[in-house]
Amino acid sequence: MKATRLAIPDVIRLEPRVLGDDRGVFFESFNQRLFRELTGLDRQFVQDNHSVSARGVLRGLHYQLPPNPQGKLVRVARGEIFDVAVDIRRGSPTFGRWVGETLSAENHAQLWVPEGFAHGFLALTEGAEVLYKTTDFYAPASERCIIWDDPEIGIVWPSSATPRLSPKDALGRRLAEADVFELA
Ligand SMILES: Cc1cn([C@H]2C[C@H](O)[C@@H](COP(=O)(O)OP(=O)(O)O[C@H]3O[C@H](C)C(=O)[C@H](O)[C@H]3O)O2)c(=O)[nH]c1=O
């Protein structure tokens, strides 16, 4: 497993060791000890999520506020997504900045999105299957949404096509009006 801290260092790209033989491949998609050794984080994951998206679907930018903030460990089992994390911790030197990584079934890459970040992805292939672990349970009352194309954030999505959004996501707030985290 390899860990790479991105331009916002709290967001980490992880790449598992892939073992191939004449039958196919095997890799440990999650290992608590390795995760702790590579990230220095001691997180317990309590929920696994699985979504399937048509090409052009954009889910996000979502987050849960305290008392139910969620760290997410995201990977792709089929197809490809552009996965984005936005720092929404007021007081952070990278507040309002974003990082994005291409995650795919082929590259096996994963993204650790910490609590305090909004998360979203654009499905780049038909039927993109995204699996992710979360560090707290789903809490709709704590959930918030920031609009995907907020000019203040300026995410450069890898498609000029208008994405397919849920009604909820289409009504996402701009960062300037959103409830955000306060960096301790
Ligand atoms: C997130 C979640 C949703 N649901 C129910 C609520 C709705 O009836 C249905 C679809 O929910 P939603 O439209 O919020 O799903 P996504 O748009 O994929 O939301 C997720 O997408 C972005 C990328 C995220 O980072 C979050 O994990 C999450 O917000 O599943 C549950 O029952 N449990 C859950 O944990």
Side-chain angles (χ1 to χ4, degrees):
M1 175 78 73
K2 185 175 94 175
T4 308
R5 291 188 177 272
L6 301 180
I8 302 175
D10 286 333
V11 183
I12 302 171
R13 177 187 172 105
L14 296 162
E15 290 166 270
R17 185 166 58 108
V18 179
L19 303 163
D21 62 26
D22 58 7
R23 299 167 300 169
V25 296
F26 177 92
F27 60 98
E28 293 181 2
S29 53
F30 177 72
N31 179 308
Q32 182 73 46
R33 184 175 56 232
L34 268 180
F35 181 81
R36 183 169 56 243
E37 285 170 4
L38 288 168
T39 65
L41 298 168
D42 209 356
R43 289 287 195 285
Q44 294 304 318
F45 295 96
V46 298
Q47 185 173 314
D48 279 354
N49 293 333
H50 187 148
S51 67
V52 183
S53 299
R55 181 199 301 267
V57 163
L58 193 154
R59 296 178 185 255
L61 303 162
H62 301 158
Y63 58 100
Q64 290 189 177
L65 288 169
N68 313 99
Q70 287 180 316
K72 297 163 189 169
L73 183 58
V74 187
R75 70 187 183 98
V76 173
R78 184 158 65 101
E80 187 173 70
I81 67 169
F82 185 69
D83 205 34
V84 172
V86 183
D87 188 349
I88 56 171
R89 303 167 300 179
R90 201 182 308 283
S92 164
T94 51
F95 179 79
R97 282 185 50 195
W98 65 278
V99 287
E101 290 289 311
T102 299
L103 309 181
S104 70
E106 285 66 41
N107 70 16
H108 306 99
Q110 305 181 9
L111 199 63
W112 162 248
V113 180
E115 300 87 345
F117 283 72
H119 174 242
F121 64 82
L122 175 66
L124 302 176
T125 54
E126 187 56 34
E129 292 209 39
V130 180
L131 287 66
Y132 52 105
K133 309 175 84 68
T134 63
T135 60
D136 204 339
F137 297 105
Y138 178 52
S142 302
E143 193 181 40
R144 299 293 185 276
C145 178
I146 288 174
I147 195 72
W148 65 282
D149 62 349
D150 184 339
E152 186 185 345
I153 302 172
I155 298 169
V156 179
W157 298 97
S159 168
S160 54
T162 303
R164 291 165 57 176
L165 304 171
S166 67
K168 174 185 74 175
D169 291 353
L171 297 174
R173 288 188 165 191
R174 295 185 53 160
L175 178 61
E177 288 87 43
D179 302 321
V180 295
F181 290 73
E182 300 299 330
L183 202 59

PDB file of all heavy atoms in Angstrom, residues 131-147:
ATOM      1  N   LEU A 131     -17.493   2.472  -3.854  1.00  0.00           N
ATOM      2  CA  LEU A 131     -17.617   1.892  -2.519  1.00  0.00           C
ATOM      3  C   LEU A 131     -16.839   2.783  -1.571  1.00  0.00           C
ATOM      4  O   LEU A 131     -15.694   3.163  -1.878  1.00  0.00           O
ATOM      5  CB  LEU A 131     -17.025   0.476  -2.479  1.00  0.00           C
ATOM      6  CG  LEU A 131     -17.783  -0.666  -3.167  1.00  0.00           C
ATOM      7  CD1 LEU A 131     -17.847  -0.518  -4.673  1.00  0.00           C
ATOM      8  CD2 LEU A 131     -17.143  -2.013  -2.828  1.00  0.00           C
ATOM      9  N   TYR A 132     -17.442   3.136  -0.441  1.00  0.00           N
ATOM     10  CA  TYR A 132     -16.685   3.946   0.503  1.00  0.00           C
ATOM     11  C   TYR A 132     -17.099   3.649   1.932  1.00  0.00           C
ATOM     12  O   TYR A 132     -18.255   3.349   2.214  1.00  0.00           O
ATOM     13  CB  TYR A 132     -16.785   5.447   0.193  1.00  0.00           C
ATOM     14  CG  TYR A 132     -18.157   6.009   0.039  1.00  0.00           C
ATOM     15  CD1 TYR A 132     -18.716   6.793   1.038  1.00  0.00           C
ATOM     16  CD2 TYR A 132     -18.902   5.789  -1.117  1.00  0.00           C
ATOM     17  CE1 TYR A 132     -19.969   7.337   0.890  1.00  0.00           C
ATOM     18  CE2 TYR A 132     -20.164   6.312  -1.265  1.00  0.00           C
ATOM     19  CZ  TYR A 132     -20.683   7.097  -0.265  1.00  0.00           C
ATOM     20  OH  TYR A 132     -21.938   7.628  -0.410  1.00  0.00           O
ATOM     21  N   LYS A 133     -16.090   3.723   2.800  1.00  0.00           N
ATOM     22  CA  LYS A 133     -16.253   3.494   4.235  1.00  0.00           C
ATOM     23  C   LYS A 133     -16.380   4.855   4.904  1.00  0.00           C
ATOM     24  O   LYS A 133     -15.740   5.819   4.492  1.00  0.00           O
ATOM     25  CB  LYS A 133     -15.031   2.734   4.789  1.00  0.00           C
ATOM     26  CG  LYS A 133     -14.687   1.492   3.998  1.00  0.00           C
ATOM     27  CD  LYS A 133     -13.409   0.816   4.481  1.00  0.00           C
ATOM     28  CE  LYS A 133     -13.737  -0.081   5.652  1.00  0.00           C
ATOM     29  NZ  LYS A 133     -14.554  -1.257   5.264  1.00  0.00           N
ATOM     30  N   THR A 134     -17.215   4.919   5.940  1.00  0.00           N
ATOM     31  CA  THR A 134     -17.379   6.200   6.641  1.00  0.00           C
ATOM     32  C   THR A 134     -17.106   6.020   8.133  1.00  0.00           C
ATOM     33  O   THR A 134     -17.307   4.948   8.698  1.00  0.00           O
ATOM     34  CB  THR A 134     -18.811   6.764   6.458  1.00  0.00           C
ATOM     35  OG1 THR A 134     -19.755   5.863   7.059  1.00  0.00           O
ATOM     36  CG2 THR A 134     -19.134   6.945   4.976  1.00  0.00           C
ATOM     37  N   THR A 135     -16.648   7.106   8.751  1.00  0.00           N
ATOM     38  CA  THR A 135     -16.257   7.033  10.168  1.00  0.00           C
ATOM     39  C   THR A 135     -17.396   7.394  11.111  1.00  0.00           C
ATOM     40  O   THR A 135     -17.209   7.395  12.321  1.00  0.00           O
ATOM     41  CB  THR A 135     -15.085   8.002  10.456  1.00  0.00           C
ATOM     42  OG1 THR A 135     -15.535   9.337  10.143  1.00  0.00           O
ATOM     43  CG2 THR A 135     -13.852   7.642   9.639  1.00  0.00           C
ATOM     44  N   ASP A 136     -18.562   7.748  10.524  1.00  0.00           N
ATOM     45  CA  ASP A 136     -19.740   7.900  11.372  1.00  0.00           C
ATOM     46  C   ASP A 136     -20.952   7.473  10.539  1.00  0.00           C
ATOM     47  O   ASP A 136     -20.872   7.367   9.306  1.00  0.00           O
ATOM     48  CB  ASP A 136     -19.916   9.347  11.874  1.00  0.00           C
ATOM     49  CG  ASP A 136     -20.746   9.395  13.169  1.00  0.00           C
ATOM     50  OD1 ASP A 136     -21.504   8.412  13.432  1.00  0.00           O
ATOM     51  OD2 ASP A 136     -20.642  10.388  13.904  1.00  0.00           O
ATOM     52  N   PHE A 137     -22.039   7.258  11.258  1.00  0.00           N
ATOM     53  CA  PHE A 137     -23.238   6.775  10.577  1.00  0.00           C
ATOM     54  C   PHE A 137     -23.926   7.918   9.822  1.00  0.00           C
ATOM     55  O   PHE A 137     -23.706   9.096  10.113  1.00  0.00           O
ATOM     56  CB  PHE A 137     -24.205   6.156  11.599  1.00  0.00           C
ATOM     57  CG  PHE A 137     -23.648   4.943  12.288  1.00  0.00           C
ATOM     58  CD1 PHE A 137     -23.201   5.017  13.611  1.00  0.00           C
ATOM     59  CD2 PHE A 137     -23.520   3.736  11.615  1.00  0.00           C
ATOM     60  CE1 PHE A 137     -22.658   3.911  14.246  1.00  0.00           C
ATOM     61  CE2 PHE A 137     -22.987   2.616  12.248  1.00  0.00           C
ATOM     62  CZ  PHE A 137     -22.554   2.704  13.556  1.00  0.00           C
ATOM     63  N   TYR A 138     -24.735   7.534   8.863  1.00  0.00           N
ATOM     64  CA  TYR A 138     -25.565   8.484   8.118  1.00  0.00           C
ATOM     65  C   TYR A 138     -26.464   9.229   9.089  1.00  0.00           C
ATOM     66  O   TYR A 138     -27.129   8.610   9.911  1.00  0.00           O
ATOM     67  CB  TYR A 138     -26.394   7.702   7.108  1.00  0.00           C
ATOM     68  CG  TYR A 138     -27.351   8.493   6.283  1.00  0.00           C
ATOM     69  CD1 TYR A 138     -26.938   9.614   5.575  1.00  0.00           C
ATOM     70  CD2 TYR A 138     -28.692   8.100   6.172  1.00  0.00           C
ATOM     71  CE1 TYR A 138     -27.829  10.336   4.790  1.00  0.00           C
ATOM     72  CE2 TYR A 138     -29.577   8.805   5.390  1.00  0.00           C
ATOM     73  CZ  TYR A 138     -29.142   9.924   4.700  1.00  0.00           C
ATOM     74  OH  TYR A 138     -30.016  10.619   3.909  1.00  0.00           O
ATOM     75  N   ALA A 139     -26.440  10.555   8.985  1.00  0.00           N
ATOM     76  CA  ALA A 139     -27.280  11.376   9.880  1.00  0.00           C
ATOM     77  C   ALA A 139     -27.873  12.499   9.045  1.00  0.00           C
ATOM     78  O   ALA A 139     -27.263  13.577   8.892  1.00  0.00           O
ATOM     79  CB  ALA A 139     -26.443  11.935  11.027  1.00  0.00           C
ATOM     80  N   PRO A 140     -29.041  12.245   8.431  1.00  0.00           N
ATOM     81  CA  PRO A 140     -29.621  13.223   7.502  1.00  0.00           C
ATOM     82  C   PRO A 140     -29.737  14.637   8.074  1.00  0.00           C
ATOM     83  O   PRO A 140     -29.533  15.615   7.370  1.00  0.00           O
ATOM     84  CB  PRO A 140     -31.005  12.640   7.186  1.00  0.00           C
ATOM     85  CG  PRO A 140     -30.932  11.195   7.534  1.00  0.00           C
ATOM     86  CD  PRO A 140     -29.888  11.059   8.598  1.00  0.00           C
ATOM     87  N   ALA A 141     -30.019  14.732   9.379  1.00  0.00           N
ATOM     88  CA  ALA A 141     -30.182  16.071   9.983  1.00  0.00           C
ATOM     89  C   ALA A 141     -28.868  16.852   9.966  1.00  0.00           C
ATOM     90  O   ALA A 141     -28.869  18.091   9.981  1.00  0.00           O
ATOM     91  CB  ALA A 141     -30.696  15.933  11.413  1.00  0.00           C
ATOM     92  N   SER A 142     -27.759  16.125   9.916  1.00  0.00           N
ATOM     93  CA  SER A 142     -26.437  16.795   9.925  1.00  0.00           C
ATOM     94  C   SER A 142     -25.885  17.014   8.521  1.00  0.00           C
ATOM     95  O   SER A 142     -24.844  17.643   8.355  1.00  0.00           O
ATOM     96  CB  SER A 142     -25.432  15.922  10.706  1.00  0.00           C
ATOM     97  OG  SER A 142     -25.888  15.699  12.011  1.00  0.00           O
ATOM     98  N   GLU A 143     -26.605  16.444   7.521  1.00  0.00           N
ATOM     99  CA  GLU A 143     -26.065  16.475   6.162  1.00  0.00           C
ATOM    100  C   GLU A 143     -26.278  17.834   5.504  1.00  0.00           C
ATOM    101  O   GLU A 143     -27.320  18.468   5.664  1.00  0.00           O
ATOM    102  CB  GLU A 143     -26.751  15.385   5.319  1.00  0.00           C
ATOM    103  CG  GLU A 143     -26.050  15.138   3.995  1.00  0.00           C
ATOM    104  CD  GLU A 143     -26.759  14.083   3.158  1.00  0.00           C
ATOM    105  OE1 GLU A 143     -28.007  14.070   3.120  1.00  0.00           O
ATOM    106  OE2 GLU A 143     -26.056  13.263   2.544  1.00  0.00           O
ATOM    107  N   ARG A 144     -25.264  18.311   4.775  1.00  0.00           N
ATOM    108  CA  ARG A 144     -25.356  19.553   4.024  1.00  0.00           C
ATOM    109  C   ARG A 144     -24.798  19.330   2.618  1.00  0.00           C
ATOM    110  O   ARG A 144     -24.061  18.387   2.376  1.00  0.00           O
ATOM    111  CB  ARG A 144     -24.535  20.652   4.706  1.00  0.00           C
ATOM    112  CG  ARG A 144     -24.965  21.003   6.120  1.00  0.00           C
ATOM    113  CD  ARG A 144     -26.328  21.655   6.159  1.00  0.00           C
ATOM    114  NE  ARG A 144     -26.691  22.113   7.516  1.00  0.00           N
ATOM    115  CZ  ARG A 144     -27.237  21.341   8.437  1.00  0.00           C
ATOM    116  NH1 ARG A 144     -27.460  20.025   8.153  1.00  0.00           N
ATOM    117  NH2 ARG A 144     -27.534  21.813   9.639  1.00  0.00           N
ATOM    118  N   CYS A 145     -25.127  20.238   1.725  1.00  0.00           N
ATOM    119  CA  CYS A 145     -24.701  20.132   0.328  1.00  0.00           C
ATOM    120  C   CYS A 145     -24.231  21.483  -0.184  1.00  0.00           C
ATOM    121  O   CYS A 145     -24.904  22.511  -0.005  1.00  0.00           O
ATOM    122  CB  CYS A 145     -25.869  19.623  -0.527  1.00  0.00           C
ATOM    123  SG  CYS A 145     -25.475  19.496  -2.273  1.00  0.00           S
ATOM    124  N   ILE A 146     -23.052  21.480  -0.815  1.00  0.00           N
ATOM    125  CA  ILE A 146     -22.531  22.682  -1.484  1.00  0.00           C
ATOM    126  C   ILE A 146     -22.617  22.438  -2.991  1.00  0.00           C
ATOM    127  O   ILE A 146     -22.347  21.321  -3.449  1.00  0.00           O
ATOM    128  CB  ILE A 146     -21.080  22.957  -1.043  1.00  0.00           C
ATOM    129  CG1 ILE A 146     -21.070  23.468   0.408  1.00  0.00           C
ATOM    130  CG2 ILE A 146     -20.395  23.972  -1.962  1.00  0.00           C
ATOM    131  CD1 ILE A 146     -19.690  23.642   0.997  1.00  0.00           C
ATOM    132  N   ILE A 147     -22.991  23.450  -3.705  1.00  0.00           N
ATOM    133  CA  ILE A 147     -23.217  23.305  -5.150  1.00  0.00           C
ATOM    134  C   ILE A 147     -21.904  22.976  -5.863  1.00  0.00           C
ATOM    135  O   ILE A 147     -20.847  23.523  -5.546  1.00  0.00           O
ATOM    136  CB  ILE A 147     -23.881  24.579  -5.725  1.00  0.00           C
ATOM    137  CG1 ILE A 147     -24.464  24.302  -7.122  1.00  0.00           C
ATOM    138  CG2 ILE A 147     -22.922  25.747  -5.732  1.00  0.00           C
ATOM    139  CD1 ILE A 147     -25.699  23.428  -7.087  1.00  0.00           C
TER     140      ILE A 147
END
